[in-house]
Amino acid sequence: MSPAAVETVAEQQRRKAHWAWVRAHVDLLDVARDRLRGLKAEGHHWQALCPFHDDHHPSLTINPGVADAVQTGARYAGRFKCWVCPNVFGTVIDLVAYLDQCEASEAMETLYQQYGGPDAGANPSHAPRVPSKPSDGSDPPVLSKLLPEEVEKARQAWYAAVWPYLTLNDNHRRALMQRGLSQESVDAHGFRSLPDEGDAMRIGWQTRLADRNLLPSWPEAGIPGMSTDHDGQLTGTPGLLIPAWSVTHRMLGAQIRPDRVDDHKKYRWWSSPHRHGGSTMTSVPSWIWPLDLPGSWDDAPEVILTEGLLKAIVIAELFGIPTVGVAGFTQWERILPTLDTLAIGTVTTAFDADVWEDAQKAPVEQRCWATLRHRYPARTIQALRWDGAQAKGLDDALAAAIVIHPQAVP
């Protein structure tokens, strides 16, 4: 082998090592703080003014990653996407490549040197930062001293602090993709896994978050999914965590789809009051905007109402129509306060086949229709129907390519 070839192999190995280090240690949110304007928190996501078009209303969404908590080979720490510019999305390396108008390999080297890779030099120009306090400089609140509306903000602060640390295991990822979701949509909608009882990620959250100066004043018992045992312990049965989103993409809570169902309940709220440290949470609806659909809820022409938070995500992505999911078909009224604020022209119900085929359940759907027609006389109210013998839910019907018929409500 020639000296030149040896040098080429060494260079390739060096670049590969640098890529791996950047992927594991450089958080997109840290870079965004330095290089983007108008950065603000929205639930566990962040938004910023997009630098690639004349943006006056933040349209670039950032899903931050966490250093050293990235699934090997799956994706880098954090992803961003502009909802206006076509094909402007990617990782922290892509963001720097776009901003500096350079190749990805050059952007990688910039980040490696700037954030102090092992052989970047004795005095790196920039070290990764960790947020020390909320953006207004105040200390995190203690729940016992808060009013009800402030308690909700504290809950959202808890989710924003903890959610990026959790990962999605391979079994849950495969199950979601088998339902028709792409890997990009699985990541974008924020699914996580609640680990097994003996997993180290279950305990030590007070120390873990204090080390990064997140929630240094540890909240008292009452935060959903957390108890003060074992230096701050995650509660709840192991399973898939499904976030509930508001129309402004704030995370309002989360459901668990247990890995082992032993009481015939397929879903449980993570904030169950029956678990030590949990707190009561109403079954909030989850408003899902399809990943590749331009626009926003302010100009949505149609919304589908279905039962189930996970089902709403699958329907939104497979159908390409904004969808809202409620925890059960009897809880449809929970969407009305938000629906009042939106100028949506068509409201379509898509409850499971066992609702409209069951004589005892069907009146619930009919009351829903009557309320929607009375409350919104200028809007179109319709229902979706398919062969219920072949598929119970609309998500199953879409996956099986069963013919779906929209019909006007009687």
Side-chain angles (χ1 to χ4, degrees):
M1 184 178 292
S2 67
V6 172
E7 184 178 358
T8 300
V9 171
E11 177 68 10
Q12 290 175 347
Q13 291 176 340
R14 185 188 68 83
R15 287 186 179 276
K16 185 176 180 180
H18 286 198
W19 277 89
W21 189 91
V22 170
R23 180 174 63 190
H25 294 86
V26 180
D27 195 311
L28 171 61
L29 188 56
D30 291 333
V31 177
R33 286 193 179 98
D34 286 340
R35 306 191 64 163
L36 297 180
R37 297 180 299 113
L39 188 67
K40 64 178 182 179
E42 279 287 348
H44 83 282
H45 285 73
W46 293 69
Q47 289 184 315
L49 295 172
C50 178
F52 309 114
H53 73 277
D54 187 19
D55 195 4
H56 299 282
H57 303 284
S59 57
L60 190 142
T61 299
I62 296 169
N63 183 6
V66 178
D68 301 319
V70 184
Q71 294 180 349
T72 303
R75 63 187 182 94
Y76 300 108
R79 297 188 68 84
F80 74 95
K81 178 181 176 68
C82 176
W83 297 95
V84 176
C85 300
N87 301 320
V88 173
F89 61 91
T91 68
V92 63
I93 293 176
D94 298 315
L95 178 63
V96 173
Y98 287 142
L99 289 170
D100 294 350
Q101 298 183 355
C102 65
E103 294 294 328
S105 59
E106 296 178 59
M108 175 273 296
E109 282 296 340
T110 296
L111 290 168
Y112 186 86
Q113 297 296 325
Q114 190 175 13
Y115 281 78
D119 59 352
N123 298 301
S125 60
H126 184 85
R129 297 184 311 179
V130 252
S132 57
K133 287 187 175 182
S135 58
D136 61 0
S138 61
D139 288 322
V142 177
L143 287 185
S144 61
K145 301 177 182 179
L146 301 180
L147 298 173
E149 60 272 16
E150 294 173 318
V151 170
E152 182 56 38
K153 292 182 180 179
R155 287 175 176 169
Q156 291 177 16
W158 156 255
Y159 284 120
V162 172
W163 208 253
Y165 279 87
L166 300 175
T167 59
L168 183 67
N169 68 42
D170 291 339
N171 289 335
H172 290 157
R173 182 178 292 275
R174 279 194 296 269
L176 291 168
M177 295 179 71
Q178 287 171 358
R179 298 191 66 148
L181 296 177
S182 67
Q183 181 160 310
E184 184 182 8
S185 63
V186 168
D187 292 334
H189 290 294
F191 294 102
R192 296 290 189 270
S193 298
L194 191 59
D196 292 333
E197 297 290 349
D199 194 287
M201 288 296 285
R202 281 278 188 165
I203 62 176
W205 284 92
Q206 181 172 358
T207 299
R208 185 178 287 115
L209 296 185
D211 285 345
R212 285 180 61 91
N213 292 319
L214 296 169
L215 299 182
S217 299
W218 188 250
E220 297 177 355
I223 285 290
M226 179 276 294
S227 79
T228 54
D229 294 343
H230 302 290
D231 190 33
Q233 179 181 12
L234 298 186
T235 62
T237 184
L240 174 68
L241 284 173
I242 307 163
W245 298 105
S246 72
V247 290
T248 57
H249 210 68
R250 292 198 316 273
M251 188 175 168
L252 303 176
Q255 273 189 337
I256 306 173
R257 182 183 172 94
D259 292 331
R260 293 177 294 277
V261 180
D262 53 10
D263 56 3
H264 306 290
K265 292 182 179 179
K266 290 177 64 177
Y267 297 93
R268 303 172 184 174
W269 284 102
W270 193 13
S271 50
S272 169
H274 304 297
R275 288 184 173 81
H276 178 61
S279 65
T280 303
M281 171 178 282
T282 57
S283 299
V284 294
S286 186
W287 297 77
I288 305 300
W289 190 267
L291 186 62
D292 294 325
L293 184 69
S296 68
W297 285 104
D298 292 333
D299 52 16
E302 179 180 359
V303 66
I304 294 177
L305 168 61
T306 192
E307 51 180 306
L309 275 61
L310 175 57
K311 189 171 297 183
I313 294 174
V314 175
I315 291 172
E317 292 300 336
L318 297 185
F319 229 16
I321 296 176
T323 305
V324 57
V326 291
F329 70 96
T330 60
Q331 301 187 33
W332 57 268
E333 289 179 292
R334 295 187 183 278
I335 76 165
L336 297 178
T338 302
L339 196 57
D340 287 344
T341 68
L342 301 172
I344 293 174
T346 301
V347 181
T348 303
T349 63
F351 295 128
D352 288 354
D354 66 335
V355 174
W356 32 272
E357 291 181 342
D358 188 308
Q360 292 183 325
K361 295 179 179 179
V364 175
E365 184 181 41
Q366 293 163 12
R367 285 196 297 273
C368 174
W369 294 339
T371 300
L372 292 172
R373 292 185 66 175
H374 176 75
R375 195 174 184 117
Y376 312 113
R379 304 188 190 188
T380 300
I381 311 299
Q382 61 181 15
L384 296 183
R385 291 290 187 264
W386 56 91
D387 186 348
Q390 296 188 62
K392 177 183 175 182
L394 176 57
D395 55 335
D396 298 324
L398 290 170
I402 296 172
V403 176
I404 298 165
H405 306 281
Q407 65 176 46
V409 301

